[in-house]
Amino acid sequence: MKITEKLSITRDFELFDKMSEHEQVVFCNDPSTGLRAIIAIHNTTLGPALGGCRMQPYTSVDEALEDVLRLSKGMTYKCAAADVDFGGGKAVIIGDPTTDKTPELFRAFGQFVNSLGGRFFTGTDMGTNMDDFIHAMKETNFVNGLPEAYGGGGDSSIPTAAGVLYGIKATNQVLYGKDDLGGLVYAVQGLGKVGFKIASSLLEEGAHLIVSDINEESLKAIEEIATKTLGTVKIVAKEDIYSQQADMFVPCAFGGIINDNTIAQFQVKAIAGSANNQLLHESHGKMLQEKGILYAPDYIVNSGGLIQVADELYGTNHERVLAKTKHIYDAILEVFKQAEISGLSTMESANKMCEKKIEVRGKRNGFYTASVKPKWSFRN
Ligand SMILES: NC(=O)C1=CN([C@@H]2O[C@H](COP(=O)(O)OP(=O)(O)OC[C@H]3O[C@@H](n4cnc5c(N)ncnc54)[C@H](O)[C@@H]3O)[C@@H](O)[C@H]2O)C=CC1
Ligand SMILES: O=C(O)CCC(=O)C(=O)O
């Protein structure tokens, strides 16, 4: 047997292939608290990585890894588009948020975040909330999205929803030549922290909503709000939301919902919503373009939360956050314009703009590391 055959195991680089675009992936294991988490740092050219921590009952390591790799890459683009001095990262905790949370688990997670020495900042995402990070912050300073009572900016779903409404207005401007929200029909998927706020604002402007959620209470609550406005609400089964005749589809639940199957069903003129990683593959952006559906790239539309948590490090100031969030309107118009000029899909056009920004900065910065002088440094 040749020596290379004997050593064949060393040729299995599957994990490194999967993370080939990422700088660092950290597997965190703490049997005493049951913590199993993965932190992915995609790119730190623009600054230390930033991204929320999702808790979900993933059924395999592969599923969790795939999610954290996709989400952290999305954060690199989101940070570039929002012009914040952070790079892309994200964390996932494997566990059921309704049964597996303990203060100790989040403290253990905080210790792992701290061990990265400021290369990764984190906070809430789906399945985690600000209370969880009150525990984590006892172990690390690299947490943002904290309650105002703890010196943070508070609920980041508020600026996220505000930003999505700016994205919808910009899309309406291109579709109809005016950015009014009222009078139109929106198919809203998911009435959680962000979706509920968007739906309520749309109703207040007199919009007509078709909604789906798996949570009966949220559905009842939005019907109740509609009774006090000029808007209307129709509830549909979760699998029927994609085929509704509407002006716009507003996805506010989970990722990957723009795919071969749903594109075949869509009867909308545009898509703009808060969900992260809406396109199953980048090619689905092209398919939307071919079908004549105007797509407002997710990571620009939903960057209000990021803008707030990044801004928090300067001290809480809601006015400043709102002023920065308003730029989402112009950013979406610019992407639509560039896409029209270049013939690219709106997602390709947005990606190109972000990649250019990272490339230019990369000439001066690269890999982020806190400036700690090595002990053995004898230079001064
Ligand atoms: N919270 C924030 O500030 C930000 C959130 N996002 C993204 O926006 C999306 C929503 O986030 P949140 O509102 O914070 O989450 P959430 O967990 O509060 O809300 C999600 C909602 O979707 C519903 N849902 C779950 N499965 C569904 C299905 N099959 N059909 C219809 N509805 C379903 C849930 O019942 C829940 O009401 C996520 O993709 C998140 O990553 C992105 C940027 C910031
Ligand atoms: O919104 C947050 O709390 C952090 C930013 C983030 O993870 C996101 O925008 O997906």
Side-chain angles (χ1 to χ4, degrees), residues 51-52 75 78 90 124-125 156 276 302 305-306 309:
M75 289 306 295
K78 197 184 296 199
K90 207 88 174 180
T124 61
D125 202 90
S156 59
N276 273 314
N302 71 15
L306 164 71
V309 299

Side-chain angles (χ1 to χ4, degrees), residues 92-162:
V92 294
I93 294 179
I94 301 172
D96 185 336
T98 58
T99 53
D100 297 341
K101 281 185 182 177
T102 60
E104 287 304 321
L105 182 128
F106 280 93
R107 285 185 80 128
F109 178 66
Q111 286 183 314
F112 282 106
V113 171
N114 204 49
S115 73
L116 289 166
R119 263 176 59 72
F120 176 61
F121 285 69
T122 194
T124 61
D125 202 90
M126 280 174 86
T128 58
N129 56 45
M130 291 191 286
D131 290 341
D132 302 326
F133 285 92
I134 291 172
H135 303 301
M137 67 171 258
K138 291 176 183 159
E139 303 290 348
T140 181
N141 280 328
F142 306 119
V143 167
N144 36 19
L146 287 167
E148 290 191 62
Y150 285 81
D155 183 357
S156 59
S157 67
I158 298 170
T160 302

Side-chain angles (χ1 to χ4, degrees), residues 11-248:
R11 291 202 300 266
D12 177 6
F13 291 113
E14 198 190 334
L15 183 57
F16 280 97
D17 290 342
K18 274 189 186 159
M19 58 170 280
S20 62
E21 294 179 42
H22 288 68
E23 287 178 12
Q24 189 176 12
V25 176
V26 183
F27 287 79
C28 314
N29 181 40
D30 181 49
S32 66
T33 59
L35 176 76
R36 284 177 168 178
I38 310 175
I39 297 170
I41 296 180
H42 176 254
N43 186 298
T44 60
T45 305
L46 298 181
L50 169 64
C53 170
R54 196 171 266 205
M55 184 168 186
Q56 212 166 285
Y58 295 101
T59 52
S60 68
V61 172
D62 268 352
E63 195 192 334
L65 181 63
E66 198 177 313
D67 208 25
V68 77
L69 292 178
R70 267 168 66 84
L71 288 164
S72 54
K73 180 175 175 184
M75 289 306 295
T76 296
Y77 286 82
K78 197 184 296 199
C79 290
D83 236 342
V84 296
D85 286 342
F86 284 97
K90 207 88 174 180
V92 294
I93 294 179
I94 301 172
D96 185 336
T98 58
T99 53
D100 297 341
K101 281 185 182 177
T102 60
E104 287 304 321
L105 182 128
F106 280 93
R107 285 185 80 128
F109 178 66
Q111 286 183 314
F112 282 106
V113 171
N114 204 49
S115 73
L116 289 166
R119 263 176 59 72
F120 176 61
F121 285 69
T122 194
T124 61
D125 202 90
M126 280 174 86
T128 58
N129 56 45
M130 291 191 286
D131 290 341
D132 302 326
F133 285 92
I134 291 172
H135 303 301
M137 67 171 258
K138 291 176 183 159
E139 303 290 348
T140 181
N141 280 328
F142 306 119
V143 167
N144 36 19
L146 287 167
E148 290 191 62
Y150 285 81
D155 183 357
S156 59
S157 67
I158 298 170
T160 302
V164 175
L165 290 166
Y166 283 121
I168 293 176
K169 281 184 178 183
T171 308
N172 286 347
Q173 178 65 41
V174 169
L175 285 180
Y176 303 114
K178 54 185 182 162
D179 57 19
D180 301 358
L181 296 169
L184 301 175
V185 182
Y186 301 86
V188 183
Q189 179 183 49
L191 298 169
K193 295 190 291 291
V194 183
F196 197 87
K197 293 180 183 75
I198 295 169
S200 307
S201 301
L202 290 173
L203 285 172
E204 274 155 28
E205 296 291 329
H208 303 290
L209 306 188
I210 303 167
V211 299
S212 72
D213 200 298
I214 50 171
N215 182 333
E216 289 294 326
E217 277 175 32
S218 309
L219 293 169
K220 276 198 204 117
I222 203 70
E223 277 186 314
E224 177 62 26
I225 292 203
T227 61
K228 296 173 200 141
T229 69
L230 290 175
T232 59
V233 167
K234 180 176 118 184
I235 295 168
V236 295
K238 67 179 191 324
E239 58 281 7
D240 292 338
I241 194 74
Y242 309 109
S243 57
Q244 298 300 316
Q245 192 121 38
D247 291 283
M248 195 179 292

